[in-house]
Amino acid sequence: MRSLLSVILIGFSFIGGAQTDPLSNVLRFDEYLGFVKKFHPIVKQAELVIDESQAKLMKSRGAFDPKLEVDYDRKKFKNTEYFDQLNGTFKVPTWFGVELKGTFEENTGDFLNPEAFVPDQGLYSAGLMVPLAKGLLINDRMAALKQAKLFREQAKADRDIFVNNILFEASLVYFDWLKAYNELKLFEDFLVNAELRYRGIVRGVELGENAQIDATEARIALNSRKLSLEQSKVKLMQAALQLSNFLWLENNIPVELQPDVIPDVDTEPIVDSTFNINQLRSDEVILEEHPKLLSLGYKLDGLEVDTRLKRNRLLPRVDVEYNFLSEAPDVARTFNTAEYKGGLNVSFPLFLRKERGDLKLAKIKLQDTEFEFDATRVSLQNKINAIKQELESYVAQNEITTEMVTDSELMLVAEERKFQLGESSLFLVNSRESKLIENQLKAISIQNKFFSTKAKLFNSLAVNPDL
């Protein structure tokens, strides 16, 4: 009977291979993740974080853009020109709080303020404003630009974490799809066994070689295999629909997985190469390069910049301004120290309660992030070590289940031989077969957990592979 079963299975495989091209309908794991990384909307959404950081950086750099200002006032009443004032200013902010400034004034009128009198051709000035205390080494513009640069780098690390999480979720769905497919093929094979056995028993009943109760028992086993196969079809359909959630094409077009598309059953080497598992398992992990710690590191640097800014605000504001004056700016010697306009602006809050409160809050945020950094580092290290040990355990479990399946197959073959010789019963044959099915399901489940654990290691290291 077993020889006949082998012939039928070979013929079935040949017919199935003749109907479909085995290379055209297999969705490989690396190809699948490549589609996910390239076209999935959430991955594209992660790229928007980089675009946002670039926009914020451009915005902060705008604080150093030169500025042109023009003020014009005129008053005329009852044929009297009270005043006609034009004031143009060109300002260039610089990095260390120093502001370069050039101005032009032209004022006329019968009722001008005496300080507004200028030569008929107007008055030019060129000078600078320098903060001597508050705002010299760090100011709002400098802090905003530094934080924007740090945010850009932090966004890159966060992008890697975001993309890795999507690839991790997509990987788990693929492994569940593979598990459902393997279970389906398993029950299809054993359904063929049950049908052959049932037909053989019915023929034996007709010839008087078997009792009617054997046919009943064989029919129970056959219906049980049919039921298991139908349930596995439902699981495979559900897994395929879950997989379709991660399949997209360009222009945000979702793709539905076709029924004839199957997973790659020999996918372990591809999983290992895609995740680079051998290197991740063998090498010492440099946690300082972990995207999560990089992100927290950039966050810490940003908070340190904010703390420096808040500390600088405790200083008094002492702004010194000096401008050379000239009515002929095209002649360099007309600018001299004897003709100038200058000033000094000093201000200092008496209690500094707002500034001291802001500094204390900034220090608290900085300390809180330092605690988070330390806790995250330890948590990541322990998580990675635990996953590595879990992987070693699954290697041993795979070896055990492989041996269990092999032994169960030997026991089933021996029981079938004894049944053919009349030394066993159909009940024992079915029991041996059920045990084999149970062990093969265990092997499929452990393989699924093994792959999922590899994905967990990939996820714990937040790797963003080139696919």
Side-chain angles (χ1 to χ4, degrees):
M1 180 181 295
R2 187 169 182 82
S3 299
L4 177 61
L5 173 61
S6 300
V7 172
I8 293 175
L9 288 177
I10 293 173
F12 179 80
S13 300
F14 177 78
I15 293 172
Q19 290 176 342
T20 59
D21 182 359
L23 297 179
S24 63
N25 63 344
V26 175
L27 179 60
R28 287 163 45 110
F29 178 70
D30 52 349
E31 295 172 343
Y32 162 70
L33 283 192
F35 274 104
V36 174
K37 184 175 181 181
K38 188 173 182 180
F39 299 119
H40 198 282
I42 297 183
V43 175
K44 294 180 180 179
Q45 183 182 5
E47 295 295 335
L48 293 179
V49 178
I50 306 297
D51 296 338
E52 180 187 3
S53 66
Q54 294 286 8
K56 288 185 177 181
L57 180 59
M58 181 185 295
K59 178 182 177 181
S60 63
R61 283 175 174 163
F64 293 90
D65 289 345
K67 184 184 297 185
L68 180 64
E69 299 176 354
V70 177
D71 291 331
Y72 178 73
D73 290 324
R74 185 180 185 187
K75 181 178 179 182
K76 187 174 182 180
F77 182 67
K78 292 184 178 181
N79 296 323
T80 301
E81 186 179 82
Y82 282 73
F83 57 81
D84 190 318
Q85 295 178 307
L86 174 65
N87 190 335
T89 304
F90 181 71
K91 297 179 180 179
V92 181
T94 62
W95 178 253
F96 286 106
V98 179
E99 186 175 79
L100 306 179
K101 184 170 67 172
T103 64
F104 171 73
E105 292 182 72
E106 187 178 40
N107 305 321
T108 59
D110 296 334
F111 296 96
L112 277 177
N113 192 315
E115 70 175 11
F117 289 150
V118 295
D120 293 339
Q121 301 301 320
L123 183 65
Y124 298 86
S125 69
L128 71 165
M129 189 277 293
V130 181
L132 298 180
K134 180 179 178 181
L136 177 61
L137 299 180
I138 188 169
N139 52 54
D140 290 338
R141 289 196 303 261
M142 294 168 59
L145 183 56
K146 287 182 178 180
Q147 289 175 331
K149 291 180 178 179
L150 292 170
F151 179 73
R152 180 183 58 182
E153 299 304 317
Q154 182 182 356
K156 293 178 181 178
D158 291 339
R159 184 269 315 272
D160 289 342
I161 297 173
F162 206 49
V163 172
N164 178 272
N165 286 333
I166 295 299
L167 296 180
F168 169 66
E169 294 176 9
S171 299
L172 296 183
V173 172
Y174 184 92
F175 298 148
D176 288 340
W177 181 47
L178 174 63
K179 177 186 176 185
Y181 176 78
N182 285 333
E183 290 179 354
L184 176 69
K185 301 306 292 182
L186 173 67
F187 287 119
E188 284 180 348
D189 292 342
F190 279 101
L191 178 60
V192 174
N193 273 348
E195 289 175 341
L196 287 174
R197 188 177 297 120
Y198 176 69
R199 287 199 297 267
I201 294 297
V202 170
R203 182 60 177 167
V205 172
E206 293 174 354
L207 297 176
E209 296 177 359
N210 296 101
Q212 182 63 41
I213 194 65
D214 289 336
T216 302
E217 185 167 350
R219 187 166 60 249
I220 292 174
L222 175 62
N223 288 329
S224 176
R225 303 294 178 261
K226 288 181 179 179
L227 179 62
S228 297
L229 179 60
E230 289 300 319
Q231 292 173 341
S232 64
K233 287 180 180 178
V234 174
K235 289 178 63 176
L236 180 61
M237 178 191 65
Q238 293 174 339
L241 289 174
Q242 289 294 323
L243 192 79
S244 297
N245 292 333
F246 291 90
L247 290 177
W248 296 74
L249 294 179
E250 289 184 289
N251 301 322
N252 297 330
I253 301 175
V255 177
E256 184 175 349
L257 195 68
Q258 298 302 308
D260 61 334
V261 178
I262 61 174
D264 184 5
V265 294
D266 188 24
T267 196
E268 183 171 358
I270 299 175
V271 170
D272 290 347
S273 62
T274 303
F275 289 160
N276 200 10
I277 287 297
N278 292 331
Q279 182 177 352
L280 296 182
R281 291 175 63 182
S282 59
D283 293 355
E284 284 295 327
V285 178
I286 303 176
L287 284 181
E288 284 71 16
E289 298 178 359
H290 193 285
K292 180 62 176 178
L293 293 182
L294 288 176
S295 177
L296 287 174
Y298 291 126
K299 182 179 178 181
L300 273 173
D301 294 341
L303 291 174
E304 287 176 355
V305 171
D306 186 60
T307 303
R308 286 180 54 202
L309 178 63
K310 297 299 193 297
R311 187 180 291 114
N312 183 264
R313 288 177 178 173
L314 295 176
L315 299 175
R317 185 173 190 85
V318 182
D319 295 340
V320 176
E321 184 174 357
Y322 184 89
N323 297 277
F324 295 98
L325 300 178
S326 172
E327 55 183 316
D330 53 334
V331 181
R333 66 175 179 271
T334 59
F335 289 98
N336 60 77
T337 57
E339 296 178 340
Y340 66 90
K341 181 173 68 174
L344 175 67
N345 186 354
V346 179
S347 64
F348 184 67
L350 295 180
F351 300 111
L352 293 172
R353 284 180 290 198
K354 179 181 182 299
E355 290 75 9
R356 287 188 287 115
D358 287 341
L359 178 59
K360 189 172 182 179
L361 290 173
K363 288 181 177 179
I364 290 174
K365 289 181 180 179
L366 181 62
Q367 190 175 29
D368 180 70
T369 306
E370 288 174 346
F371 290 151
E372 183 182 0
F373 183 91
D374 294 337
T376 301
R377 179 186 177 87
V378 173
S379 176
L380 285 173
Q381 185 66 68
N382 292 336
K383 182 178 180 180
I384 292 169
N385 292 337
I387 293 174
K388 287 183 176 181
Q389 294 177 13
E390 189 177 353
L391 281 176
E392 295 299 327
S393 174
Y394 278 119
V395 171
Q397 291 182 48
N398 276 327
E399 294 175 355
I400 294 172
T401 53
T402 300
E403 187 174 357
M404 290 172 60
V405 169
T406 302
D407 291 342
S408 296
E409 288 176 343
L410 293 175
M411 294 295 293
L412 176 59
V413 171
E415 203 66 48
E416 286 178 336
R417 187 177 296 114
K418 290 171 63 177
F419 177 71
Q420 292 172 1
L421 296 175
E423 297 177 1
S424 182
S425 64
L426 184 60
F427 172 77
L428 291 176
V429 173
N430 288 336
S431 297
R432 295 296 186 190
E433 190 178 68
S434 297
K435 194 64 178 178
L436 174 59
I437 294 174
E438 178 185 340
N439 289 334
Q440 287 186 331
L441 289 175
K442 285 181 181 179
I444 293 173
S445 177
I446 289 176
Q447 182 195 54
N448 175 265
K449 293 178 181 178
F450 189 32
F451 289 161
S452 298
T453 304
K454 291 181 179 182
K456 285 165 59 179
L457 178 61
F458 167 79
N459 180 242
S460 67
L461 295 173
V463 180
N464 188 357
D466 295 326
L467 297 170

